[in-house]
Amino acid sequence: MTDHVDLAAARAAKPEGGANLPAARKPRSKPQSKAERRAETTEQILDAAEYLFSRHGLYGVTLKDVAKRVGVHHTLLNYYFDDKQKLFDAVFSRRAAVTNERRMKALDDYERANAGNLTVEGALHTFLDTDLDLYINGGEGWRNYGALASQVANTPQWGAEMMDEHFDPVVLRLIDIINRALPEADKVDVFWGYHFVTGALMLTLARTGRIDKLSGGLCNSEDFVAVKERMATFMAAGFNAICTPKNKDRAAD
């Protein structure tokens, strides 16, 4: 990385005709430090890139596109990120760290509060609802990230590797709790159950609008509150159906 370049200054427009007009006086405030300016600019770049990547994917976005959305010349982005791949990785890992920390803490709290009485539905509510709350309350940035994560999760090879790197610990924590909630279950069924859960979650985060059309407007793919009210309960029933021996025997008849 190279020394800080103030993108806010680079964005400033010249007065018409090039005249040096006096600037309006503003109340004095404590000047930002170099580190604060750099952190603020980095967030602006990450937000812009996240928006674009969520809509066009890694290969559909250039650094020039990001610079244009930020409002600066594209060469200035190189002071912050060496190339597009590093920018993409930074965009993805920024919120992955937040959701992982929140879900891991929530699962730890759930396990402590329900020792000896773990349930599949309780574990799924903890895992899914904690994540969905971010998309409900976190604004456009989190919804953009959800759409981006959906793309990455459905990309073979490097996409799967990114999901493995960032999310395996919290996913395996959930699976461990479900295994203990269903001690008689075949672990193969538990892993398939999680596979179906994450598939539904990723489709939900993609917000394709398909359910809006299928339902004739009864459902809205932007309605994460409605998803939160239903998903964990629905998925828990699926786990119990394929993992409980008596239900499996009945299905085989």
Side-chain angles (χ1 to χ4, degrees), residues 143 203-213 215 218-225 227:
R143 294 191 175 213
L203 179 60
T204 296
L205 296 183
R207 293 178 294 141
T208 64
R210 178 162 166 73
I211 192 172
D212 310 51
K213 296 175 183 177
S215 67
L218 292 175
C219 303
N220 184 336
S221 60
E222 301 280 346
D223 190 355
F224 286 110
V225 172
V227 173

Side-chain angles (χ1 to χ4, degrees), residues 45-192:
I45 294 171
L46 292 174
D47 287 344
E50 182 178 64
Y51 172 88
L52 293 169
F53 286 138
S54 72
R55 283 155 177 78
H56 309 295
L58 172 61
Y59 299 115
V61 176
T62 67
L63 289 180
K64 286 184 178 180
D65 295 330
V66 178
K68 182 177 179 181
R69 185 165 180 82
V70 177
V72 299
H73 193 273
H74 69 91
T75 56
L76 294 180
L77 262 66
N78 294 123
Y79 287 96
Y80 292 84
F81 298 96
D82 294 335
D83 55 43
K84 185 175 70 171
Q85 184 63 58
K86 286 186 172 57
L87 174 57
F88 187 86
D89 292 345
V91 167
F92 192 81
S93 62
R94 175 177 61 157
R95 297 194 199 273
V98 175
T99 184
N100 276 339
E101 182 179 349
R102 286 170 58 95
R103 286 187 292 181
M104 193 68 84
K105 181 181 184 304
L107 288 169
D108 288 343
D109 292 345
Y110 170 75
E111 185 178 24
R112 278 194 297 270
N114 296 277
N117 190 34
L118 301 174
T119 67
V120 176
E121 186 166 352
L124 288 174
H125 268 297
T126 302
F127 181 84
L128 293 170
D129 294 0
T130 302
D131 201 40
L132 289 167
D133 282 342
L134 289 170
Y135 305 108
I136 292 169
N137 302 314
E140 182 188 12
W142 271 100
R143 294 191 175 213
N144 290 339
Y145 179 75
L148 176 61
S150 176
Q151 288 183 30
V152 173
N154 287 283
T155 301
Q157 297 180 345
W158 66 263
E161 290 172 2
M162 288 189 76
M163 298 300 287
D164 294 345
E165 176 186 351
H166 290 284
F167 297 116
D168 274 8
V170 71
V171 168
L172 292 172
R173 185 81 173 84
L174 169 67
I175 289 172
D176 175 63
I177 293 175
I178 292 175
N179 277 326
R180 284 183 286 133
L182 295 172
E184 297 183 8
D186 187 328
K187 290 187 177 181
V188 170
D189 293 324
V190 173
F191 278 103
W192 276 118

Side-chain angles (χ1 to χ4, degrees), residues 191-204:
F191 278 103
W192 276 118
Y194 174 75
H195 180 73
F196 303 145
V197 168
T198 194
L201 179 60
M202 290 301 106
L203 179 60
T204 296

